[in-house]
Amino acid sequence: MVAKLEEVPLGKRVLDCVGELGNVWLVGGAVRDLILGRSPLEVDLLVEGQLDEVLALLGGSQQRFDRFDTATVELEEGTVDIAASRSETYPHPGALPVVAPAAVSEDILRRDFTINAVAVNLDQPTFVAHPDALADLSEGIVRVLHDQSFADDPTRVWRCARYAVRLGFQVDQHTAELAAAAGPGMTSGERFGHELRLSLRETDPTQIFTLVQSLNPAALIEGFEPRPSGLSSALDLLPQDASRELTTLAACCAGVEMSLLTRWLDYMQFSADERDLVAAASRWVTGEPLRAADRRSQIGRAARGAPIEAVALAGGANARLWIEELRFVKLEIDGDDLIATGVARGPLIGSALEHTLDLTLDGEVRGRQEQIDAALTHVEQAVQGQ
Ligand code: CTP
């Protein structure tokens, strides 16, 4: 397994720096992925004893969290999370754990699922694992380590679904029963938000949402649709500069009542910009006028100012035309050009520019001079009409 780790750039860097210390273990997801023949994206290390020597040898940019004796190291090749091996007890369900130093064999038992309760020493050929770990990995089963697991940490319902979908595993029957009984506990919205974001980054979040819903419907907000129709065509339309994740979330939230939705997104610590985007796109605000438009200028008026994610969700040929072509059409003039010809400052300038953009989109006006002429004509007509 260590030889396989060497083939991954991040793994090689870790092995080169701390592979011979003897007290450093690769643990959790990276070990699971190596056993399954997958390439680990992140590396988690467990250290028996102090972290100082490991951190000094690894270099990179480091953040240390003394309360839990853990650290995160950013290297060119990727991220390494490091923890001193420890036991954890939860003073009450959902609370932050109380930690104490412990052997690696004990540390792995505080984890979420058997498939993650695996560790291998970087120096010695020593492997420790939960007794069911290897069988569950080979049979493809997601199983909690103990009956309190979801009560300790209700975000594990999301993790359970995420692993099952990503790895194509089944959720063990008893684990599913425990997940069904899990309440929200006292876990922070930020941690649920983190799990939701991780799910949104997976290849098919809608499968994860579907599984979360069948495991524990209360984990999803009222009105949330795990498999919204129209999402895959919206994602096909979505350009590189838009967010797949927020588009997916917005599509799933189209049926969630607006004030509930914004409160839920705030609770999960989505930023104000993300919240507003999801809220706007979830209503498919540009849908009707955009679909009904039959001139390029009408498409522009319907789509301008809306998040690109909303336009993609509205769907159809007009949305495609806007995303691929029309949104890049810009005027070669601005308000200052009109003021320079003697037009007074005021709202008329804005409407003249908008009118000129309409004409430009419809191909009736080309180039800077024609745009100035068209804008001035609009101003004159408006003044005469007053
Ligand atoms: N863990 C846990 N309960 C949580 C979060 C994490 O028990 N709520 C444990 C898991 O055993 C996991 C380890 O902490 O293996 C590291 O967490 P994380 O990096 O989130 O998971 P990975 O296993 O690395 O999975 P992924 O491939 O999704 O990154």
Side-chain angles (χ1 to χ4, degrees):
M1 209 182 307
V2 173
K4 282 202 245 166
L5 184 64
E6 185 105 41
E7 292 165 16
V8 182
L10 180 59
K12 177 161 171 30
R13 168 83 181 260
V14 166
L15 284 169
D16 289 347
C17 295
V18 298
E20 287 175 4
L21 286 180
N23 64 337
V24 185
W25 298 68
L26 183 70
V27 67
V31 181
R32 173 200 71 216
D33 288 344
L34 289 171
I35 293 173
L36 294 173
R38 300 167 70 98
S39 197
L41 299 175
E42 274 183 23
V43 163
D44 289 284
L45 297 179
L46 265 187
V47 178
E48 288 171 311
Q50 301 294 311
L51 300 191
D52 307 66
E53 193 179 8
V54 174
L55 290 175
L57 289 169
L58 272 178
S61 140
Q62 305 187 346
Q63 232 191 327
R64 200 163 171 171
F65 311 96
D66 284 334
R67 174 160 182 207
F68 297 117
D69 216 0
T70 61
T72 298
V73 178
E74 299 291 345
L75 300 169
E76 250 172 56
E77 298 84 351
T79 307
V80 185
D81 283 323
I82 308 174
S85 72
R86 62 195 197 264
S87 63
E88 281 180 357
T89 45
Y90 291 81
H92 58 84
L96 287 175
V98 174
V99 303
V104 169
S105 54
E106 198 177 336
D107 186 297
I108 57 169
L109 298 182
R110 68 184 172 79
R111 286 159 191 276
D112 46 6
F113 305 107
T114 58
I115 55 171
N116 289 333
V118 282
V120 63
N121 191 287
L122 291 186
D123 186 40
Q124 324 286 324
T126 315
F127 175 72
V128 296
H130 181 275
D132 292 331
L134 286 179
D136 286 346
L137 278 166
S138 85
E139 286 163 34
I141 293 171
V142 182
R143 185 196 310 274
V144 283
L145 299 193
H146 56 81
D147 286 5
Q148 280 307 303
S149 187
F150 293 119
D152 285 347
D153 183 349
T155 67
R156 288 175 172 166
V157 174
W158 282 87
R159 299 177 64 83
C160 178
R162 191 153 55 82
Y163 290 125
V165 169
R166 188 203 297 166
L167 303 173
F169 282 18
Q170 295 297 315
V171 179
D172 150 69
Q173 180 61 35
H174 183 56
T175 299
E177 285 159 15
L178 294 169
M186 294 175 64
T187 310
S188 69
E190 187 177 4
R191 295 198 52 225
F192 281 114
H194 177 68
E195 288 301 330
L196 175 59
R197 284 172 189 279
L198 291 178
S199 294
L200 286 166
R201 281 186 214 140
E202 297 276 337
T203 313
D204 187 358
T206 63
Q207 274 194 51
I208 299 176
F209 299 151
T210 306
L211 185 50
V212 167
Q213 190 181 49
S214 75
L215 285 172
N216 186 329
L220 295 173
I221 192 173
E222 195 184 330
F224 189 98
E225 170 53 54
R227 279 192 176 279
S229 62
L231 175 60
S232 64
S233 51
L235 293 178
D236 285 345
L237 262 185
L238 210 62
Q240 290 289 336
D241 56 334
S243 163
R244 286 183 74 79
E245 284 117 45
L246 297 182
T247 304
T248 304
L249 186 55
C252 294
C253 292
V256 180
E257 192 270 318
M258 181 54 92
S259 67
L260 183 61
L261 174 59
T262 53
R263 267 185 283 129
W264 188 56
L265 295 170
D266 284 343
Y267 163 72
M268 287 187 300
Q269 306 285 304
F270 280 76
S271 71
D273 285 350
E274 291 170 325
R275 176 201 63 208
D276 293 346
L277 191 154
V278 171
S282 75
R283 301 303 108 155
W284 300 26
V285 277
T286 55
E288 280 312 306
L290 182 62
R291 281 174 174 276
D294 53 17
R295 290 176 73 87
R296 291 156 67 99
S297 54
Q298 289 171 342
I299 296 175
R301 287 207 178 223
R304 207 174 300 136
I308 205 77
E309 290 80 359
V311 178
L313 283 169
N318 287 347
R320 180 176 295 281
L321 187 58
W322 170 256
I323 287 171
E324 291 178 355
E325 188 184 331
L326 302 186
R327 70 186 172 120
F328 301 111
V329 174
K330 303 277 182 250
L331 286 178
E332 291 175 44
I333 60 169
D334 60 21
D336 287 337
D337 293 308
L338 303 186
I339 291 166
T341 66
V343 180
R345 286 175 198 277
L348 194 48
I349 290 190
S351 73
L353 291 173
E354 201 171 9
H355 172 74
T356 308
L357 184 54
D358 285 349
L359 296 175
T360 307
L361 282 167
D362 289 337
E364 291 169 23
V365 156
R366 283 192 180 76
R368 182 179 156 77
Q369 191 52 53
E370 284 187 27
Q371 288 178 351
I372 289 181
D373 293 345
L376 292 178
T377 306
H378 177 84
V379 170
E380 272 165 31
Q381 286 170 351
V383 169
Q384 280 165 13
Q386 275 172 1

